[in-house]
Amino acid sequence: MARSDMQNDAPEGSSASRVASSVDELFLAALARGDDRFQTGRYLVTFKEGAGQSGLRYLEAMRVAHAGDFEGQAVTLDQLSDADALFLPEINMALIGGQAASEHKLGEQAEIASDSPIASIEPEYFVFADGGTSGSVVESGFVELAKSTTFESLPGFTESLYQASNSYLRGFLQATETIAREIRKTGNGHSHQEIEEETEALLATWGLKACKVPTSRRSGAGINIAVLANGFDSGHPDFVGRSIVSQTFVGEPVMDLNGHGTHMIGTACGPLSPADPTPRYGIGYQTSIYVAKVLTNSMMGTVASVLTGINWAIANRCPVIFAPLAMAGGPSAVFTAAGKAALNKGCLLIAGSSSAGASVGAPANSPTILSVAALNQNLQPTPFSPVGKIDMAAPGVDTFSSWPRPRRYATISGIASATAHVAGCAALWAETSPALRGIRLWQKLQNTARGLPFPATRVGAGLVQAP
């Protein structure tokens, strides 16, 4: 392989850009060198499909750590103090430290020969949460914009929903119980089963009802669902007794100190019947939860932390992998390759995008990753929902779900919330048949979506529906 020298101003070679460097070390180094490209100084090498061991042999001049040598491929980068590179076998990629990349001339300017096992070499970037708003910042500008559009037909409702207070929840429960008693008293021409379904539906969030979750007979039993975010409060009382496997990929404990990850997991995997007076907010209530902490408590990670999480989720055969993350720019070769590797192994990657009403960003804009748009309660795309490569849509405004203790619950808005609805419904569909994996699961979700009167660039195939 012939390669040219790298640019003199490239960050590779920095002692901070080791494979084992923490996210904070990488970020401080980027600030110190004035890098406004959000590059970490490390590189990602994607090998060609079928390259097999030839890719590994290409790296043999380096000190290479192999994720397969770690139980469940749960490798954390801070364990690799002496490594020049980390190989991720499930997605057939390697992370190369800045110094090693410099010594072996593996920068983004390198020329790749046609007979090389390498498909691409890319600089690694920082990654951030997808811009979902927490309850504490729910009055931010774009949510105000969403509010002004969302609730024109529901005067007086906005304020009570945003507060998500106990008094609201008690009132919610009392109202639904009253309606349920009336239904039972009159019969209303429906069967007992239909009455029970209607009653159950009344006790769920608007998002679940829009996706037909309360009337679904599926629970996600037997399905592993991986959530790549900023961690989870596994001690939340609504998740007692659940199957939870967790792993950090950023060197911090898995405990969610922000709330975003716990909220996403709550929507996708939360309980069937949370304690009164809380309405049902979770979809796959019998799924096995795989928590991959790929963002720090500052809500920042790197592409490598995400890829190690994806590699781990595939190794643990999670049919649904859900990543509420956002990056600017066009489709990334590494995410496209990771999404394809996942599909080939019966896993479906679902991602959000920037909550700024802009074009769909990475990783969701890769053709091998299912991208999601956010809807309001009128089933309209929200002003903050991205435009472009959209595969389907789901509720993303005023989503009530779990939150780290002591708060326990919160209502937020964002693309991530919509993505969580799709991930939960995907788990229910995956339960219906072992044949619904990978691309078949993707097609089933789109083929069963509820059509909406908006361009595909805004809502894709439409609103996700539970089986």
Side-chain angles (χ1 to χ4, degrees), residues 153-397:
S153 61
L154 297 171
F157 187 66
T158 304
E159 293 77 10
S160 62
L161 194 58
Y162 266 78
Q163 291 172 358
S165 63
N166 287 335
S167 60
Y168 158 69
L169 294 173
R170 283 193 293 273
F172 181 96
L173 181 63
Q174 290 168 0
T176 54
E177 287 179 339
T178 299
I179 295 171
R181 281 196 298 272
E182 290 302 314
I183 291 173
R184 293 190 185 98
K185 185 188 302 180
T186 64
N188 200 28
H190 299 296
S191 68
H192 176 73
Q193 177 179 326
E194 290 172 325
I195 292 172
E196 288 301 313
E197 289 177 354
E198 289 183 34
T199 304
E200 187 179 7
L202 290 169
L203 297 173
T205 61
W206 83 266
L208 266 58
K209 287 187 283 187
C211 299
K212 304 295 184 186
V213 171
T215 53
S216 174
R217 299 303 181 195
R218 301 296 177 174
S219 63
I223 302 301
N224 298 339
I225 179 168
V227 185
L228 280 58
N230 61 298
F232 178 55
D233 178 6
S234 60
H236 194 291
D238 284 0
F239 293 84
V240 172
R242 292 292 299 274
S243 173
I244 300 173
V245 179
S246 61
Q247 177 65 37
T248 179
F249 295 96
V250 290
E252 294 180 350
V254 171
M255 178 64 194
D256 175 13
L257 299 184
N258 173 276
H260 190 262
T262 302
H263 201 277
M264 299 304 107
I265 290 173
T267 298
C269 312
L272 174 65
S273 302
D276 289 343
T278 308
R280 180 182 177 187
Y281 59 85
I283 300 174
Y285 60 88
Q286 289 189 321
T287 53
S288 294
I289 305 169
Y290 282 70
V291 183
K293 182 160 184 162
V294 301
L295 299 178
T296 66
N297 294 317
S298 301
M299 304 302 286
M300 182 173 64
T302 69
V303 172
S305 64
V306 177
L307 292 175
T308 50
I310 292 173
N311 188 78
W312 174 74
I314 295 174
N316 286 280
R317 297 298 177 259
C318 296
V320 180
I321 304 173
F322 154 38
L325 308 167
M327 291 174 55
S332 162
V334 293
F335 283 123
T336 299
K340 187 173 185 181
L343 291 173
N344 289 342
K345 297 187 178 185
C347 305
L348 175 60
L349 261 170
I350 303 168
S353 184
S354 174
S355 293
S359 298
V360 178
N365 56 10
S366 286
T368 57
I369 296 177
L370 192 152
S371 60
V372 180
L375 303 175
N376 63 26
Q377 290 187 340
N378 297 323
L379 303 186
Q380 301 167 335
T382 68
F384 60 75
S385 191
V387 179
K389 186 255 174 190
I390 295 293
D391 296 306
M392 61 192 323
V397 172

Side-chain angles (χ1 to χ4, degrees), residues 7 17 91 111 119 122 138 151 161 194 228 274 287 319 356 361 422 439 448 454 467:
Q7 293 176 308
S17 58
I91 54 177
E111 296 178 7
E122 291 185 73
V138 75
F151 301 113
L161 194 58
E194 290 172 325
L228 280 58
T287 53
V422 174
I439 191 66
T448 57
F454 301 99

Side-chain angles (χ1 to χ4, degrees), residues 84-114:
D84 295 322
L86 169 67
F87 182 68
L88 302 170
E90 300 292 340
I91 54 177
N92 204 26
M93 294 181 195
L95 171 69
I96 313 292
Q99 184 66 37
S102 178
E103 292 173 356
H104 294 81
K105 302 187 185 305
L106 284 173
E108 57 187 311
Q109 302 300 318
E111 296 178 7
I112 302 173
S114 59

